[in-house]
Amino acid sequence: MGGGDGPVPGLFGRVRSGRLRAGSRILMSLQVTPRLLATGLAVHPLGVGCRAIGDTPRGHAVTSDRQWLDGMRRAVERGATLFDTADTYGDGHAERLLGKVLRESRRQGLNLQVSSKIGHRGSAPHPYAGPHMKHQLEQSLDNLGVDRIDLYVLPTFDFGDNDRYLGGAIQQMRTLQELGYIGAVGLRGPHAEQAGDGGTSGRFLQLFRLIEPDVVLADFNALTPLIDLDEDEDLFAFAARHGTGVLITTPFAGGFLTGRPDRAPSAPRSKGGEILHRLMDPLRQRLGDRPGLLAMAALRYCLSRGPHTAVLAGFGTPDHVATNFDCLDLALDAEDLDLIAGIYAQLRCELAVRTGEATVGAPV
């Protein structure tokens, strides 16, 4: 599962060699070869998150269905193969719009992959209760116009009082997998600031050993502290050792890491934006003050976690999609990547001082 070292001909259209020379520097654009998250789930390193569809925050311009569709189509043109959605996104609207793009792509001979999640409780006593899981899947399949979902995720650690529904949920997922309705089984990952909803590393390890997921869906970005799991391993090392893929969400920390100070973690928000802008000066001097520099740094930081990882990036407009995929083309050398990692380490430190916290990391 954790490989993906070699290209799969024809999967993404064209495969970049990844190496250029500029003077004495060896430059590396990101090799756009498949990341193998699970058996049968080789994906483009950059996937597309559809959470924002049908969920426009107050005060933001409403994105039309035409813009959402254009954004997804542009992602397909740039080589995207994995789209993440859920029946709770816009009460199924995101899945139905994505279904249109999937049908168009099939007519063009393209085989896109879909990740979705169990979400709606409906009239059932719990989202993971009995046959309700199968009913949710059937609705998602109908919304998407497909007969199989490539990655189906258990998105919460809540399985009812005393894990009442846990055993049944595990059996239901494996049965759906054996029948071919779903491909890989996913489980959400732990996060340092989610102890209040059972998101501790101990709970994750308990569920990981029982469920044996193929893929972990993890909130992670440059503000997120790495959590130690088994034998002092972080999540990425732990997953690699178990042959499990990691699908990274929230790479931009809700927009803060792309230069939006209003999305800074904690207070004071304006100071967070000033800190980020100042710390990025060495990277601007090295690479030039180019458009999308902040987004590029955030994405490449996440994508450097290993060949068993891929990133989901959301979008609000088709231009956001173009910017995200442009980030993969920029040639970087090892010193550039080290510089980005060092900048983010300093950013976490300074934000922690500003907020009076030992760690900073909850994605916004």
Side-chain angles (χ1 to χ4, degrees), residues 198-240:
T200 63
S201 59
R203 175 63 168 165
F204 169 77
L205 288 172
Q206 176 197 20
L207 293 175
F208 184 94
R209 288 162 181 150
L210 291 171
I211 297 170
E212 298 181 337
D214 305 297
V215 178
V216 172
L217 196 69
D219 288 343
F220 179 77
N221 55 61
L223 301 185
T224 311
L226 289 170
I227 304 170
D228 285 339
L229 295 174
D230 259 357
E231 301 175 3
D232 295 324
E233 289 178 314
D234 64 38
L235 174 63
F236 299 101
F238 174 86

Side-chain angles (χ1 to χ4, degrees), residues 19 28 66 152 158 185 238 253 286 295 297 312 315 329 334 339:
R19 287 188 179 268
M28 293 174 286
R66 179 177 178 179
Y152 204 44
D158 175 12
V185 170
F238 174 86
R286 188 173 177 85
L312 290 173
F315 69 100
D329 293 332
L339 176 60

Side-chain angles (χ1 to χ4, degrees), residues 114-116 137 140-141 144 146 148-152 181-183:
V114 178
S115 167
S116 193
L137 175 63
S140 288
L141 292 172
L144 292 162
V146 299
R148 182 178 186 270
I149 289 176
D150 301 282
L151 171 62
Y152 204 44
Y181 292 115
I182 64 175

Side-chain angles (χ1 to χ4, degrees), residues 22-251:
S24 60
R25 298 174 69 199
I26 299 295
L27 304 178
M28 293 174 286
S29 60
L30 187 77
Q31 280 201 321
V32 186
T33 55
R35 298 284 181 100
L36 191 61
L37 299 182
T39 301
L41 190 62
V43 302
H44 189 287
L46 184 57
V48 179
C50 300
R51 186 186 187 94
I53 297 177
D55 185 27
T56 303
R58 182 178 298 177
H60 289 238
V62 176
T63 303
S64 68
D65 284 356
R66 179 177 178 179
Q67 289 175 298
W68 291 125
L69 289 167
D70 286 347
M72 288 187 280
R73 288 165 180 149
R74 185 170 296 190
V76 174
E77 291 170 358
R78 295 299 299 268
T81 59
L82 179 66
F83 290 77
D84 178 74
T85 185
D87 66 348
T88 55
Y89 297 173
D91 288 329
H93 189 57
E95 288 185 335
R96 287 187 287 273
L97 284 184
L98 176 56
K100 291 184 179 182
V101 176
L102 296 176
R103 288 190 291 274
E104 293 171 0
S105 298
R106 284 197 295 270
R107 288 195 293 268
Q108 298 168 15
L110 299 175
N111 182 28
L112 302 182
Q113 294 156 306
V114 178
S115 167
S116 193
K117 309 168 192 70
I118 300 167
H120 275 148
R121 170 181 169 179
S123 59
H126 191 278
Y128 296 148
H132 184 63
M133 289 176 61
K134 184 173 183 291
H135 296 161
Q136 288 185 79
L137 175 63
E138 289 171 343
Q139 185 62 63
S140 288
L141 292 172
D142 185 62
N143 289 340
L144 292 162
V146 299
D147 55 15
R148 182 178 186 270
I149 289 176
D150 301 282
L151 171 62
Y152 204 44
V153 179
L154 297 164
T156 76
F157 290 173
D158 175 12
F159 289 87
D161 292 342
N162 299 314
D163 284 340
R164 174 181 177 183
Y165 302 107
L166 177 57
I170 295 172
Q171 182 58 50
Q172 189 79 262
M173 291 290 273
R174 292 306 172 192
T175 298
L176 294 172
Q177 195 175 38
E178 290 167 5
L179 293 173
Y181 292 115
I182 64 175
V185 170
L187 175 69
R188 61 158 276 200
H191 192 279
E193 296 195 1
Q194 292 176 336
D197 71 347
T200 63
S201 59
R203 175 63 168 165
F204 169 77
L205 288 172
Q206 176 197 20
L207 293 175
F208 184 94
R209 288 162 181 150
L210 291 171
I211 297 170
E212 298 181 337
D214 305 297
V215 178
V216 172
L217 196 69
D219 288 343
F220 179 77
N221 55 61
L223 301 185
T224 311
L226 289 170
I227 304 170
D228 285 339
L229 295 174
D230 259 357
E231 301 175 3
D232 295 324
E233 289 178 314
D234 64 38
L235 174 63
F236 299 101
F238 174 86
R241 180 165 62 86
H242 286 84
T244 303
V246 180
L247 191 54
I248 296 170
T249 66
T250 66

